[in-house]
């Protein structure tokens, strides 16, 4: 079997897999939302839900608008989570984060909205979101929010990591 045939077979298998998972964004032409769009987020089945492991995303080009002045705010958004049954699909996460580009919210609100949307989407065991916003007016803001499933060791992890971040 030649390279072209192998590649075509792989592409067909991957497309079938995406369809089975219900993924819409992956493998299609990118369409960018003009405002906050949590509906673009997609998940897929975690193949190792019995394991505790970290999944980390870094978005160094996050932008949003100041809700008062309309001026752009720039940040690096860091997301780290321990998945449960579902995981966020990375292209949909990128499109979601880009949807803040023309959306007006304070730095702290952006970090909390992102975290809550991801909790609602995939019910992770643990998640934390940090926003490293660049200075405006001579001051930078670095909001941090986290969550651990209540009544589990992940709630204790959330408390410990939260206390450490406060230092």
């Amino acid at each position: 079997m030649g390279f072209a045939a192998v590649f075509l077979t792989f592409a067909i298998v991957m497309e079938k897999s995406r369809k089975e998972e219900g993924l819409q964004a992956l493998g299609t032409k990118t369409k960018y939302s003009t405002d906050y769009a949590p509906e673009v987020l997609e998940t897929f089945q975690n193949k190792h839900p019995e394991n505790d492991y970290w999944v980390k995303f870094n978005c160094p080009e996050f932008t949003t608008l100041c809700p008062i002045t309309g001026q752009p705010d720039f940040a690096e958004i860091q997301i780290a989570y321990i998945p449960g049954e579902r995981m966020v699909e990375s292209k949909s996460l990128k499109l979601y984060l880009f949807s803040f580009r023309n959306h007006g919210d304070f730095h702290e609100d952006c970090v909390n909205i992102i975290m809550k949307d991801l909790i609602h989407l995939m019910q992770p065991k643990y998640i934390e979101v940090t926003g490293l916003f660049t200075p405006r007016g001579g001051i930078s803001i670095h909001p941090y929010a986290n969550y651990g499933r209540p009544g589990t060791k992940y709630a204790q992890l959330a408390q410990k990591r939260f206390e450490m971040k406060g230092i």
Side-chain angles (χ1 to χ4, degrees):
M1 188 182 289
F3 175 76
V6 170
F7 182 76
L8 181 59
T9 302
F10 176 75
I12 291 169
V13 168
M14 292 306 296
E15 183 175 339
K16 181 180 175 190
S17 176
R18 285 194 304 269
K19 287 181 180 176
E20 288 172 358
E21 288 283 355
L23 299 175
Q24 303 295 316
L26 187 62
T28 62
K29 184 175 178 176
T30 302
K31 297 174 188 164
Y32 293 97
S33 176
T34 57
D35 200 4
Y36 169 69
E39 66 275 5
V40 302
L41 286 167
E42 298 180 346
T43 65
F44 61 93
Q45 188 69 37
N46 177 7
K47 293 182 181 178
H48 309 282
E50 71 282 0
N51 293 350
D52 284 346
Y53 61 98
W54 289 101
V55 177
K56 296 182 179 184
F57 293 101
N58 189 44
C59 180
E61 298 175 346
F62 180 84
T63 61
T64 189
L65 298 177
C66 173
I68 305 300
T69 66
Q71 293 180 321
D73 288 316
F74 303 92
E76 178 178 322
I77 299 293
Q78 300 171 343
I79 300 167
Y81 73 99
I82 302 172
E85 296 296 321
R86 306 292 298 171
M87 299 175 69
V88 67
E89 192 279 317
S90 61
K91 182 176 181 182
S92 76
L93 179 63
K94 175 183 78 169
L95 295 173
Y96 166 74
L97 292 173
F98 286 176
S99 79
F100 281 81
R101 196 168 297 251
N102 294 318
H103 180 73
D105 254 324
F106 293 111
H107 305 342
E108 300 85 353
D109 294 327
C110 289
V111 165
N112 279 281
I113 289 167
I114 292 166
M115 184 186 73
K116 288 177 182 178
D117 284 346
L118 291 173
I119 291 168
H120 177 75
L121 176 75
M122 60 181 174
Q123 298 299 307
K125 296 173 185 176
Y126 173 84
I127 189 168
E128 59 187 35
V129 179
T130 304
L132 304 173
F133 285 83
T134 58
R136 214 156 51 81
I139 190 167
S140 60
I141 301 174
H142 296 165
Y144 169 84
N146 74 353
Y147 162 88
R149 277 192 194 160
T152 69
K153 66 182 181 180
Y154 308 105
Q156 296 168 5
L157 173 63
Q159 183 61 39
K160 287 178 186 174
R161 288 184 67 91
F162 184 79
E163 290 169 0
M164 287 176 50
K165 288 286 184 173
I167 297 174

